[in-house]
Amino acid sequence: MSRILRRHEFVADDWVSLGDTPPGDTESVIVPFATFRENREAWLARRGRLGVRLAPADRVEDLAPDLPRLSLVAVEFTGPGEGRGYTTARLLRQRYHFTGEIRAVGHVKQDQLYLMHRCGIDAFELAPTEKPEEALATLTRFKVAYTPGAPLPGLVRERFRTQREA
Amino acid sequence: MYRYDEIDQAVVDQRVAEFRDQTRRYLAGELSEDEFRPLRLRNGLYIQRHAPMLRIAIPYGLLSTRQLRKLAEIARKYDRGYGHFTTRQNMQLNWPELRNVPDILEELASVQMHAIQTSGNCVRNVTADHLAGIAPDELDDPRPYCEILRQWSTLNPEFTYLPRKFKIAVTGSPQDRAASEVHDIGLQMQRGSEGEIGFKVFVGGGLGRTPIIGQVVREFLPVPDLLAYCEAILRVYNRFGRRDNIHKARIKILVKSLGIEEFRRQVEAEWEGSKDFATRLEPAEVERVRQFFRPPAYETLENIDAAHNRELEFQTWYRYNTRQHKVPGYRAVFVCLKAHGSVPGDMTSDQMDAVADLADRVSFGLVRTTHNQNLMLADVRQIDLYDTWQELKRLGLASPNIGTLTDMIACPGLDFCGLANAGTIAVAKQIQQQFDDLDYLYDLGDIEIKMSGCMNACGHHHVGHIGILGVDKHGEEWYQITLGGSVNGFTALGDVIGPSVRQHEVAPTLQRIVDVYRARREDGERFIDTYRRIGLKPFKDSVYVQDSAAA
């Protein structure tokens, strides 16, 4: 079982990604969005927890009606320059008020964790080459930020505020 | 000028430490070239033909003399004793070593400077009119908004991995000396119905291989909504801009494919749907930043005729290299980086130091960089102009050709840049030689030449009155010439005159072009106006009539 950096701790992953064999009815499973849409009712009727994986081009609006019944959304990053996931995460948290886990999957490297976290991603499935301690350290590297974002320990000041805070 | 508070300083220091660690991991083999590339690019570092190229940010072109001296020192210590000033008001070093770059960044941070986001697919240095704050025709000073946008865009979590680079320019003057309509977002300051300041918002302008003039996405944007609205534009772009083809990834392509109406609808819907979590620009923050741009302590003076009873050489320099100032008794002075025999935009460390000393004496310790690749002393007392001229002349920075044909814009070209197809420096020198008679240049008047060594258009050739684009033809350097481009209040893209010409034919071709202008112009008519009146054909007929070199 792989390990996940979740809320500043490395924990054993208690989720499985949908593979060739169907998951057990009580298993916590992450399903690609396209697969989920093909059989939405069946997936939602399972007893186990359900997560959906959004590819970069998937529209978060299309998943919005089902968010209250999901425990996890996995946001996929397909390469070092792929940036759509940052907006996806931000909209999940800020516009749709999703409170479950948002997990970065795919090309997830230490150099992007800070920005991902600030957009509301709170769990990271790190690429296999990543060094866990270095990755963790990046989340406490920044003491200040200009724009508002998800809180981080050690981040003590932001310059700007959102409309809601103002 | 703006001074860092503890937040600004910490952001820059944090980034230096982060980049030092990234460089260390790359040199240790822990990061692949593909992984390191987007990281180094977000800090202005390219790998070029001979060495890395480091682009240092000069936000909206404003430098203190302390900062200019630091640039001189860095160029001397880590490079070959000179720097290159760019059309986006930044400075590039052509020969730094990768292992030294973290130290360079640390030195920059010690004078409140950085190289953050001067390249890469993110929001770049925000540029402004070089006459900001002193132009008589200005509605309001754009620089506080540039600084606010700089901060908002720096390490912005959501918008640091965009489909492609993203450039914003702000102008407070209808003359649009910032070329805002050829930027991804162009902000033109306006007054609203209550007399309040706001912005007319242009989107989707840009040069490069698909030159497009920006379109109006919103007629009037109130100041408190500035950041929220930019976020809406960037969010639509980040989500739906193309990422499959680097040549179609700029926002201009998205705007073009959706059409401005649909693009506007999406932006407005995004804006409406993010009202409660968008970044708000509070009046107190605007006021905090505005305080830093208050006018310097001008003396109460009257305008004088500074050129009266002076030698002709000074009178000429005064006419061409100084500009009107809104405060009586003052002029703005160009520090000319276009002398005969020079590389446009290049400046030595010794010149930088000397100009810093001069600015301390005569211009409140501030220096500006301009879109046209010159420097400017913005606030010189008219009674100091003669001494200022003598010092600039001694430094080789008083060539009286500002606004003439030889005050040309040129990118570094094939001699330095890994992207270029053709040289620009040799062509610039050729043009300087062909047009070395100042009286002849003055007779030609206001002609803007802009030259790029490849279709990425760093030299803005599309908007030159005469544009020159270097192209590669079977390993040879050829040049395509366009006529009729312009910015400055009337944005237009140039028309290709015909087949490209060989390198040695560029200056003779220009000669034939200006001969047509001289023959056909009406009283007091500028080159660009003659072109607009008579069109391309007379120029084309003349250029190719006896030419066998064209292909």
Side-chain angles (χ1 to χ4, degrees):
Chain A
M1 192 175 279
S2 63
R3 293 177 74 75
I4 295 294
L5 177 55
R6 178 188 288 155
R7 298 188 178 157
H8 310 284
E9 282 182 341
F10 284 93
V11 296
D13 190 2
D14 45 358
W15 288 78
V16 295
S17 290
L18 183 65
D20 295 336
T21 51
D25 190 48
T26 57
E27 240 179 334
S28 301
V29 64
I30 302 172
V31 184
F33 186 45
T35 311
F36 170 73
R37 291 182 105 177
E38 282 166 18
N39 227 336
R40 181 174 163 275
E41 292 305 328
W43 285 112
L44 289 171
R46 292 172 67 258
R47 282 194 296 156
R49 294 183 301 168
L50 183 64
V52 168
R53 188 174 82 227
L54 292 175
D58 287 335
R59 289 163 45 92
V60 60
E61 292 82 351
D62 298 336
L63 184 62
D66 297 314
L67 286 172
R69 300 171 72 177
L70 302 181
S71 304
L72 178 150
V73 176
V75 177
E76 187 179 356
F77 293 83
T78 49
E82 176 54 60
R84 284 171 281 191
Y86 298 95
T87 289
T88 300
R90 186 136 200 256
L91 292 178
L92 280 169
R93 285 282 186 242
Q94 302 282 347
R95 179 168 296 157
Y96 299 108
H97 308 290
F98 181 67
T99 53
E101 176 172 322
I102 302 180
R103 176 184 293 197
V105 300
H107 188 95
V108 182
K109 301 280 197 158
Q110 60 164 289
D111 298 290
Q112 282 81 40
L113 295 197
Y114 166 77
L115 298 176
M116 289 176 178
H117 186 101
R118 293 286 285 165
C119 288
I121 293 172
D122 59 353
F124 306 92
E125 191 177 299
L126 292 171
T129 50
E130 293 300 283
K131 296 178 180 172
E133 293 316 308
E134 282 187 8
L136 188 58
T138 64
L139 292 178
T140 49
R141 174 182 280 157
F142 290 94
K143 309 287 181 246
V144 300
Y146 284 126
T147 41
L152 270 173
L155 192 73
V156 292
R157 277 192 72 181
E158 295 168 348
R159 170 80 80 211
F160 298 110
R161 292 192 289 176
T162 63
Q163 310 272 37
R164 190 187 296 146
E165 295 163 329
Chain B
M1 73 183 292
Y2 186 74
R3 282 191 304 278
Y4 282 10
D5 68 2
E6 65 276 13
I7 293 182
D8 303 296
Q9 189 66 51
V11 166
V12 169
D13 291 344
Q14 288 166 181
R15 180 65 186 125
V16 173
E18 185 185 35
F19 189 73
R20 189 181 288 285
D21 183 56
Q22 289 167 344
T23 305
R24 177 193 63 73
R25 284 187 285 134
Y26 171 68
L27 292 174
E30 295 172 24
L31 280 175
S32 71
E33 179 56 47
D34 276 354
E35 287 169 337
F36 187 51
R37 187 182 305 113
L39 304 177
R40 65 172 162 75
L41 283 177
R42 273 161 190 74
N43 229 3
L45 190 65
Y46 289 75
I47 301 298
Q48 289 288 32
R49 197 162 290 275
H50 305 289
M53 182 275 276
L54 180 65
R55 185 181 292 146
I56 296 165
I58 303 175
Y60 37 93
L62 190 57
L63 284 168
S64 69
T65 51
R66 180 165 172 245
Q67 291 173 326
L68 184 57
R69 286 191 189 93
K70 178 56 84 174
L71 292 179
E73 183 193 339
I74 287 171
R76 202 178 274 126
K77 190 165 157 189
Y78 299 99
D79 205 287
R80 298 189 177 178
Y82 71 95
H84 175 78
F85 289 94
T86 76
T87 57
R88 300 206 73 257
Q89 303 180 296
N90 294 317
M91 194 192 89
Q92 295 178 179
L93 295 174
N94 282 320
W95 308 91
E97 286 189 46
L98 176 58
R99 64 184 169 80
N100 288 332
V101 171
D103 292 339
I104 296 175
L105 298 177
E106 195 164 308
E107 296 219 24
L108 288 172
S110 74
V111 294
Q112 308 193 347
M113 294 186 80
H114 61 79
I116 296 170
Q117 291 169 210
T118 52
S119 58
N121 297 336
C122 48
V123 181
R124 304 288 190 87
N125 184 26
V126 180
T127 56
D129 180 358
H130 55 269
L131 296 179
I134 61 167
D137 65 355
E138 185 176 83
L139 186 66
D140 197 12
D141 192 338
R143 294 171 303 175
Y145 304 99
C146 293
E147 176 58 30
I148 286 163
L149 287 164
R150 181 192 77 81
Q151 297 187 17
W152 160 83
S153 62
T154 296
L155 304 179
N156 187 299
E158 191 178 346
F159 306 124
T160 295
Y161 290 92
L162 298 170
R164 196 71 184 91
K165 59 188 171 184
F166 202 92
K167 300 175 180 179
I168 302 176
V170 191
T171 179
S173 152
Q175 276 300 306
D176 191 18
R177 285 169 291 260
S180 66
E181 291 174 30
V182 291
H183 281 73
D184 297 282
I185 291 179
L187 298 166
Q188 299 185 357
M189 299 182 77
Q190 310 271 319
R191 281 200 192 281
S193 53
E194 311 283 301
E196 78 280 22
I197 289 287
F199 306 91
K200 186 173 188 174
V201 184
F202 287 75
V203 71
L207 299 175
R209 71 177 64 204
T210 314
I212 296 179
I213 297 170
Q215 301 181 75
V216 178
V217 61
R218 189 169 182 82
E219 286 290 342
F220 187 80
L221 179 70
V223 166
D225 294 320
L226 174 64
L227 302 179
Y229 198 79
C230 288
E231 282 173 5
I233 292 174
L234 274 160
R235 188 169 298 128
V236 169
Y237 172 53
N238 192 40
R239 298 185 70 190
F240 303 117
R242 286 182 63 173
R243 290 171 183 265
D244 59 324
N245 180 342
I246 187 176
H247 302 305
K248 299 198 182 294
R250 294 285 291 270
I251 194 173
K252 62 191 172 188
I253 304 293
L254 177 66
V255 173
K256 197 175 158 199
S257 71
L258 291 176
I260 188 67
E261 299 295 330
E262 172 60 15
F263 181 79
R264 179 183 299 119
R265 190 195 65 74
Q266 293 192 14
V267 168
E268 297 274 329
E270 182 56 50
W271 186 36
E272 194 57 40
S274 53
K275 288 264 166 163
D276 65 335
F277 66 92
T279 306
R280 180 181 160 76
L281 182 52
E282 289 166 78
E285 177 61 12
V286 175
E287 202 42 46
R288 183 187 77 85
V289 176
R290 279 173 63 91
Q291 294 302 312
F292 291 104
F293 295 92
R294 278 195 302 208
Y298 293 122
E299 295 168 40
T300 306
L301 300 169
E302 298 200 352
N303 281 324
I304 58 167
D305 183 1
H308 182 67
N309 273 347
R310 297 291 189 183
E311 59 266 53
L312 185 62
E313 194 185 353
F314 174 75
Q315 290 181 14
T316 307
W317 174 84
Y318 176 85
R319 179 173 168 200
Y320 284 91
N321 287 24
T322 73
R323 291 291 179 273
Q324 195 187 350
H325 197 294
K326 71 178 182 186
V327 177
Y330 287 83
R331 293 284 284 185
V333 171
F334 281 103
V335 176
C336 179
L337 303 183
K338 311 293 178 65
H340 188 105
S342 70
V343 176
D346 275 11
M347 192 177 197
T348 67
S349 293
D350 291 349
Q351 287 173 322
M352 291 182 221
D353 278 338
V355 167
D357 292 346
L358 181 61
D360 278 339
R361 289 207 303 279
V362 303
S363 196
F364 298 98
L366 294 174
V367 178
R368 300 176 182 206
T369 58
T370 77
H371 165 63
N372 267 42
Q373 299 180 286
N374 294 299
L375 266 53
M376 170 168 271
L377 304 175
D379 305 289
V380 181
R381 292 189 308 179
Q382 290 167 2
I383 49 175
D384 291 330
L385 285 173
Y386 191 78
D387 291 343
T388 301
W389 169 64
Q390 287 190 311
E391 176 63 1
L392 288 174
K393 200 174 139 190
R394 188 183 72 78
L395 298 169
L397 301 171
S399 177
N401 60 342
I402 298 292
T404 72
L405 180 144
T406 52
D407 182 18
M408 67 192 118
I409 287 180
C411 72
L414 190 63
D415 295 273
F416 294 104
C417 178
L419 301 172
N421 293 322
T424 53
I425 293 173
V427 176
K429 293 192 170 171
Q430 197 188 107
I431 294 170
Q432 288 163 351
Q433 268 166 16
Q434 178 88 24
F435 297 94
D436 67 342
D437 183 315
L438 279 171
D439 288 329
Y440 184 76
L441 279 179
Y442 298 151
D443 177 65
L444 293 178
D446 171 13
I447 300 186
E448 295 177 5
I449 292 189
K450 303 189 178 188
M451 175 164 45
S452 309
C454 75
M455 59 177 68
N456 290 307
C458 296
H460 293 213
H461 60 275
H462 302 293
V463 289
H465 296 168
I466 302 175
I468 304 172
L469 165 67
V471 293
D472 174 281
K473 273 196 186 180
H474 315 296
E476 291 183 352
E477 297 166 55
W478 288 64
Y479 297 85
Q480 184 187 78
I481 293 170
T482 50
L483 298 181
S486 70
V487 280
N488 291 2
F490 185 98
T491 307
L493 302 173
D495 307 308
V496 176
I497 190 166
S500 53
V501 300
R502 290 176 187 277
Q503 189 172 75
H504 68 270
E505 274 294 318
V506 173
T509 303
L510 296 194
Q511 183 66 60
R512 276 177 241 148
I513 289 167
V514 301
D515 285 346
V516 172
Y517 160 63
R518 292 186 78 208
R520 301 289 301 270
R521 68 182 165 188
E522 293 179 349
D523 268 357
E525 196 175 49
R526 297 179 308 156
F527 174 85
I528 187 71
D529 296 322
T530 301
Y531 179 80
R532 285 174 192 154
R533 181 169 55 78
I534 69 176
L536 186 66
K537 189 162 184 305
F539 293 95
K540 188 180 179 112
D541 289 347
S542 164
V543 161
Y544 294 106
V545 65
Q546 76 278 42
D547 197 329
S548 56

